[in-house]
Amino acid sequence: MSLTAALPQQSGASGRDAAELEALATQAGRDLEHATATEIIQWAVDTFGERFCITSSMQETALSHLASTVQPGIDVVFLDTGYHFAETVGTADAASVTIPINLVTVRPRQTVAEQDATLGADLFARNPDLCCQLRKVAPLERALQAYDAWATGIRRDEGPDRANTPVVAWDARRGKVKIAPFARWTQDDLDSYIVDNGVMTNPLLHDGYPSIGCWPCTRRVAPGEDPRSGRWAGLSKTECGIHT
Ligand code: SF4
């Protein structure tokens, strides 16, 4: 679905102020540290209702699948940067018709062609931080205005930058509750969930891409290499800015 068709009404008011949301997040971070992913999502659905969404990079659809079992029709925010592999866009399209979710596709203010015209071609090669800010971070922040809480599929075992990911935390920069139901999962846990539940995955996962982002900034990884080493390879950059 398009952004316009799928975004829920942006009321701008949740009934809870930032202090209440922060207190909720802090308490839940303690209470839910040992909860299952399903219990964490159930808590979020019960607590925030329609002001809770999940986000997906469409590398796989495990979080979308699990969340839909708790709340059919749940909003799943997908950032379409304009630089995705065709396989990633195809996975999002397939997810929207095979999983009971409401796919909320969010796009940057400018198309790639418009950005090239105003900032020059291939901004990703000259200033990837600015490119990520314009094409990922800012669109997500606009989309999250409709919600009090959002969930992401990041895990502690994905690397040092994510090793201390809380299951629930206060996202002070955005003024939202940030939830990571899979934080304590390992890669094996995720793989088992995918196999056991017949969860759809991005075909590139089986073609040498264990971590999938935009095509200009993602390369294949050799067996045994750090799975995220193919992201922004050759640069010190390791995150797009969404999780930092
Ligand atoms: Fe731009 Fe690369 Fe960031 Fe995608 S990952 S938004 S192409 S810099």
Side-chain angles (χ1 to χ4, degrees), residues 2 6 9 56 61 88 98 133 141 153 175 182 198 200 205 219 221 229:
S2 71
Q9 283 239 302
S56 177
T61 58
T88 302
T98 59
Q133 174 64 32
E141 290 178 1
F182 292 171
M200 182 172 49
L205 278 181
R219 68 157 173 79
V221 168
S229 62

Side-chain angles (χ1 to χ4, degrees), residues 21 40-41 43-45 48-57 63 74-77 79 136-137 140-141 143-154 166-181 240-244:
L21 291 172
I40 294 166
I41 292 173
W43 170 81
V45 167
F48 303 106
E50 292 185 348
R51 292 191 65 83
F52 168 59
C53 70
I54 70 168
T55 55
S56 177
S57 65
L63 185 58
I74 193 165
D75 286 355
V76 175
V77 172
L79 293 173
K136 290 187 172 183
V137 177
L140 177 66
E141 290 178 1
L144 290 182
Q145 289 171 13
Y147 306 96
D148 289 335
W150 63 294
T152 159
I154 64 174
V167 293
V168 183
W170 175 237
D171 179 356
R173 178 155 59 108
R174 302 181 179 91
K176 309 291 176 189
V177 179
K178 185 176 178 183
I179 301 165
C240 63
I242 286 175
H243 301 301
T244 53

Side-chain angles (χ1 to χ4, degrees), residues 81 83 124 128 131-132 135-136 214 216-217 232 237:
T81 64
Y83 278 121
F124 56 79
C131 189
C132 279
R135 312 203 71 77
K136 290 187 172 183
C214 297
C217 303
W232 303 285
K237 184 177 173 68

Side-chain angles (χ1 to χ4, degrees), residues 33-46:
E33 169 61 24
H34 299 290
T36 66
T38 301
E39 290 169 340
I40 294 166
I41 292 173
Q42 185 69 64
W43 170 81
V45 167
D46 292 345

